[in-house]
Amino acid sequence: MSAPPTSLDMAYALLQEGRPVDAEQVMVRELQAVERRHGRGSPEWASAQCDLGNLLFGCGLPDRAIECFRSACAGPIPEDPEAHKEHLTYRLNLGAALMMTGRLEEADAELRRNLQERLAFYGRSHPGYAFGLESLADVLLKRGAVQEAREAIEEVIANFWRNGHERVATALAFRAEIVTAEGGTDPLFPGLDQLPDELVEQVAMTVLNRTDVTTAGAVGQAVLTGLVTALEARLGPDHQATLNALSLSANLGRHLGDGAGRIAAIRSVLASYDRQGRAEEAVMATLGLAMAQSDAGDLAGTLETYAQARTRADAIGRPELSSQVLRNWGLALSEADRPAEAEKCLREALAAAELGHDYEMLGRTRIALGLFLQHRERLAEARQVVEAGLATLDVAHPDAIVGRSHLQAIMDGRSCGCGDIEGTIAEAFREFVMGRLPQDLLEQLHVTVKDGEFAISVELRREPTEDEIAHLNRVMESANVEFRRRLAHAE
């Protein structure tokens, strides 16, 4: 009989469902319960603070996560060896969180302090010391001290090799980044032939997790290129780790404007899916190829690829997949100024979506058709379709925000123009918050957007409890994180 899920298990399950506010509430209640049982400042309380901090970081709330980590390691170093180890972990988490939020000087200080504590506790030859040194190497690289970072990571790798520790995989991945930043000719991924497959896969996963396509630049592209070459040789061109690296390489190519490299990477992935008979994945890769060709200005190639994608999707017989292909194809035909063909595709996409069970795809397809009709000056029909689409999408969904903005333009009698996108996002923000609070708490919630910032005023119906105030603040902060992303995307 399996053990019941812990509060942490439930919180991360809620986070995966896209419910960060509810996930946080679970961990806040757990922290309060631990404080009642064991007392503030106890090892158990510190552990719960760290769990909450990790969850908040996953929710995109790094500043609050940092405060949790500070609380977790604020007290004296515990005498109990196991609690002492946990204390070292909390301080390492604090340093890493500071680094990941760009507070590099603070991170450097915390990580150096942590490293000295680890040296005293573990000794220099223990893997526990190498964990701290690896994080310090990371902040050194980010601060531009590349040579110091290289010296540190080489010591880390030697430590892990000597101890037979599996963490050598993450250190090898990080080393490739440092070597590339140095601009030397040393091999990026030496020793992969000495590692079992699962650790080679971990090397690849670490590289992918560290690669942010918005900031990676030429260094990230060089590391990914080297990784693909190494994985093809070590694991083969059809291994999932190789395909994941190629997919990220294509995404990075899009960001860097490397259209040819992007298309080549997607073709390699598509060829692998075809060799393996992975038909649905091949459809998605074909859609990616069509988008890459469109961005490269190859209209004929784009439309031909969409036709191939439809043939592939129809052979599978899943209506949601066919709907997605037809929707994208219809949008491409509309952009190519072929309205009759575009409308035919979009209506077929809607018919397919109505046969399936993917309500998000149904809503997105309705929005796409409604906007097409609006731009063709068929406003009454457009309004009906867009309103139906909004009924099946979450208020925070990007397509819902676009649809609401266009709906306002339709209601104003305009066939083009997306309306007040900032006002639409502000209204979506308001609905997001109101739907997550007790119905009798707020009289009014006014939200406006000015210069990319949300201005909020609240009118209460009654005096809130302390817990309700804390919950309101958490909901507001989560909404800020979510809808700032929407604003950035809109811009």
Side-chain angles (χ1 to χ4, degrees):
M1 187 173 180
S2 60
T6 65
S7 295
L8 191 60
D9 294 332
M10 291 186 287
Y12 276 102
L14 289 166
L15 185 59
Q16 289 178 347
E17 293 175 10
R19 298 165 60 187
V21 175
D22 296 331
E24 183 185 346
Q25 277 292 95
V26 169
M27 290 310 300
V28 167
R29 288 195 295 268
E30 174 65 15
L31 177 62
Q32 293 168 343
V34 169
E35 183 172 344
R36 287 193 298 270
R37 288 196 302 268
H38 301 282
R40 188 178 185 87
S42 65
E44 294 83 359
W45 180 84
S47 177
Q49 281 282 7
C50 185
D51 287 342
L52 177 57
N54 288 327
L55 180 77
L56 289 169
F57 208 92
C59 292
L61 300 169
D63 291 334
R64 289 180 54 205
I66 286 169
E67 292 311 308
C68 287
F69 295 141
R70 285 196 195 280
S71 296
C73 58
I77 296 176
E79 294 183 5
D80 177 72
E82 289 304 314
H84 191 167
K85 287 182 184 179
E86 294 299 321
H87 177 88
L88 293 173
T89 299
Y90 307 152
R91 191 167 297 284
L92 185 64
N93 286 357
L94 173 58
L98 288 166
M99 175 179 62
M100 294 173 71
T101 53
R103 296 156 67 173
L104 299 183
E105 290 188 11
E106 292 179 76
D108 189 297
E110 286 291 347
L111 291 171
R112 288 183 188 277
R113 176 179 175 181
N114 182 250
L115 189 62
Q116 289 305 308
E117 291 178 354
R118 286 173 177 270
L119 179 62
F121 185 83
Y122 290 112
R124 197 178 193 98
S125 62
H126 193 279
Y129 175 79
F131 292 156
L133 185 58
E134 184 179 23
S135 289
L136 180 60
D138 203 349
V139 81
L140 287 169
L141 177 62
K142 287 179 168 61
R143 298 190 73 183
V146 181
Q147 184 176 351
E148 291 180 71
R150 176 70 183 271
E151 292 171 0
I153 201 62
E154 295 293 1
E155 182 179 348
V156 170
I157 290 170
N159 181 307
F160 287 146
W161 272 122
R162 186 171 58 250
N163 286 286
H165 201 288
E166 63 182 13
R167 186 68 175 263
V168 71
T170 62
L172 286 170
F174 181 29
R175 176 189 177 277
E177 191 176 330
I178 296 173
V179 170
T180 303
E182 281 185 315
T185 58
D186 290 350
L188 296 187
F189 297 98
L192 292 191
D193 57 332
Q194 302 175 48
L195 295 177
D197 287 0
E198 57 268 23
L199 288 190
V200 176
E201 293 170 16
Q202 186 61 49
V203 172
M205 184 179 300
T206 303
V207 172
L208 303 191
N209 288 341
R210 288 184 61 88
T211 303
D212 181 347
V213 296
T214 63
T215 59
V219 170
Q221 190 174 43
V223 172
L224 272 179
T225 299
L227 178 66
V228 169
T229 300
L231 293 177
E232 287 178 338
R234 175 64 177 77
L235 298 176
D238 293 336
H239 194 282
Q240 190 58 52
T242 308
L243 299 179
N244 291 343
L246 281 166
S247 296
L248 186 58
S249 179
N251 290 339
L252 183 56
R254 178 184 183 184
H255 185 76
L256 296 177
D258 179 12
R262 178 186 176 192
I263 289 171
I266 296 172
R267 287 193 184 280
S268 294
V269 172
L270 178 57
S272 174
Y273 287 151
D274 283 340
R275 285 193 298 269
Q276 298 179 68
R278 296 167 63 175
E280 288 201 21
E281 291 97 328
V283 171
M284 301 310 296
T286 306
L287 289 179
L289 176 59
M291 291 178 63
Q293 290 170 318
S294 176
D295 289 345
D298 181 6
L299 176 59
T302 299
L303 298 181
E304 181 181 350
T305 300
Y306 275 125
Q308 294 169 2
R310 180 181 187 176
T311 299
R312 289 174 178 270
D314 287 349
I316 294 171
R318 196 161 65 81
E320 295 90 347
L321 194 59
S322 294
S323 176
Q324 184 172 358
V325 171
L326 287 162
R327 173 188 174 276
N328 290 12
W329 192 8
L331 293 174
L333 286 164
S334 180
E335 290 179 8
D337 198 23
R338 293 163 64 170
E341 295 168 85
E343 182 172 354
K344 181 174 182 293
C345 268
L346 291 172
R347 290 196 178 280
E348 289 179 359
L350 180 54
E354 288 172 341
L355 294 174
H357 302 284
D358 186 337
Y359 295 105
E360 179 183 347
M361 180 52 60
L362 176 60
R364 295 184 67 203
T365 303
R366 284 171 170 166
I367 296 295
L369 175 59
L371 269 56
F372 169 83
L373 294 170
Q374 176 198 11
H375 295 153
R376 306 306 297 176
E377 300 187 4
R378 293 153 64 179
L379 300 186
E381 190 178 3
R383 177 175 179 175
Q384 181 180 10
V385 177
V386 170
E387 287 179 338
L390 292 174
T392 60
L393 288 175
D394 184 88
V395 65
H397 194 286
D399 283 22
I401 291 173
V402 172
R404 285 179 183 274
S405 180
H406 279 76
L407 180 60
Q408 185 59 55
I410 293 169
M411 293 171 69
D412 292 343
R414 291 182 281 125
S415 62
C416 62
C418 60
D420 178 11
I421 193 69
E422 287 190 345
T424 302
I425 292 176
E427 177 60 22
F429 183 111
R430 194 190 72 82
E431 290 188 26
F432 179 92
V433 172
M434 293 291 286
R436 288 161 173 78
L437 295 174
Q439 292 184 358
D440 67 336
L441 180 60
L442 297 189
E443 180 68 33
Q444 286 291 338
L445 175 64
H446 301 283
V447 183
T448 58
V449 181
K450 183 177 181 181
D451 298 327
E453 297 291 332
F454 288 100
I456 303 163
S457 63
V458 177
E459 298 177 21
L460 298 174
R461 288 183 178 174
R462 58 173 174 79
E463 188 72 21
T465 66
E466 289 187 9
D467 286 346
E468 285 176 333
I469 291 174
H471 180 56
L472 173 61
N473 289 335
R474 287 192 292 269
V475 171
M476 290 289 191
E477 190 163 2
S478 294
N480 260 296
V481 171
E482 179 66 29
F483 288 96
R484 280 179 189 278
R485 287 197 290 260
R486 301 296 182 227
L487 275 174
H489 181 75
E491 292 169 358

